[in-house]
Amino acid sequence: MDVQSNRAAQKWTRRENAGRVLWALAHPLFAWSPRPFWGWRRALLRLFKARIGNDVHVYPTVRISIPWNLSIEDGSAVGDRVILYALGPIALGRATTVSQNSHLCAGSHDYSRADRPLTKPPITIGDSVWICADAFVGPNVSIGDGAIVGARAVVIKNVSAKAIVAGNPAREINHLD
């Protein structure tokens, strides 16, 4: 493994680095806002170019790495202590819930290369999806409309619409009709 080459690689443009610094400075305004200040947090995320729909509830304890890579449609909610590691795009559909302590990870490294370059693959979550507590959704995963990801599931492959998945790795255990 070539750690030195990985550390020396430019992973972000100057503009992206500047945005990340500004977000870090503004983050206390997000994190220290009272829980019912949904509109304040929506406005702050929009200021940082996140695409946020109407009536979206993002809790103040949510950790968002790069807000401009985030898209959340109308009526969705992101619960306490969720990590949205949005190195790449993360898109949440309408009326979708991401429950507490879940981790959506849109970033990784190319393990097939010695320098392990950073990758930024997307995560796409459909409409009316429920990501239950403590679930992990990995990079380059799509979850279909109406699916349910069980508590503490580890999703590393796509999930079809209306599927119920659970376990590590997540497997389909039922299907909604």
Side-chain angles (χ1 to χ4, degrees):
M1 181 163 66
D2 188 354
V3 174
Q4 289 306 106
S5 291
N6 181 285
R7 288 183 180 161
Q10 290 294 95
K11 297 168 180 73
W12 309 100
T13 66
R14 284 181 187 225
R15 182 181 171 106
E16 288 170 323
N17 278 331
R20 293 176 76 199
V21 168
L22 288 173
W23 174 243
L25 293 171
H27 188 261
L29 299 172
F30 182 94
W32 297 343
S33 62
R35 178 173 263 176
F37 282 32
W38 312 112
W40 167 255
R41 287 186 294 280
R42 285 192 299 264
L44 193 57
L45 288 169
R46 288 175 183 140
L47 181 67
F48 279 87
K49 305 300 183 199
R51 289 157 308 283
I52 306 296
N54 296 315
D55 198 31
V56 168
H57 288 191
V58 178
Y59 282 71
T61 56
V62 172
R63 289 183 14 213
I64 301 166
S65 57
I66 302 177
W68 53 89
N69 283 340
L70 184 60
S71 173
I72 305 175
E73 298 294 329
D74 297 345
S76 290
V78 182
D80 274 324
R81 297 171 307 281
V82 167
I83 298 170
L84 298 175
Y85 194 60
L87 301 188
I90 294 178
L92 304 180
R94 294 179 187 272
T96 286
T97 298
V98 181
S99 294
Q100 67 274 11
N101 299 310
S102 292
H103 184 160
L104 279 59
C105 182
S108 189
H109 295 272
D110 183 350
Y111 62 85
S112 68
R113 291 182 38 188
D115 61 345
R116 308 289 193 265
L118 182 66
T119 62
K120 304 170 189 176
I123 293 174
T124 305
I125 299 184
D127 296 341
S128 301
V129 171
W130 180 18
I131 308 293
C132 297
D134 287 318
F136 174 86
V137 178
N140 208 29
V141 167
S142 291
I143 298 177
D145 294 345
I148 298 172
V149 174
R152 299 226 166 154
V154 175
V155 182
I156 55 174
K157 293 183 180 177
N158 292 343
V159 175
S160 62
K162 297 188 177 182
I164 301 173
V165 299
N168 179 2
R171 291 184 178 87
E172 188 169 329
I173 60 169
N174 207 338
H175 199 87
L176 302 168
D177 291 321

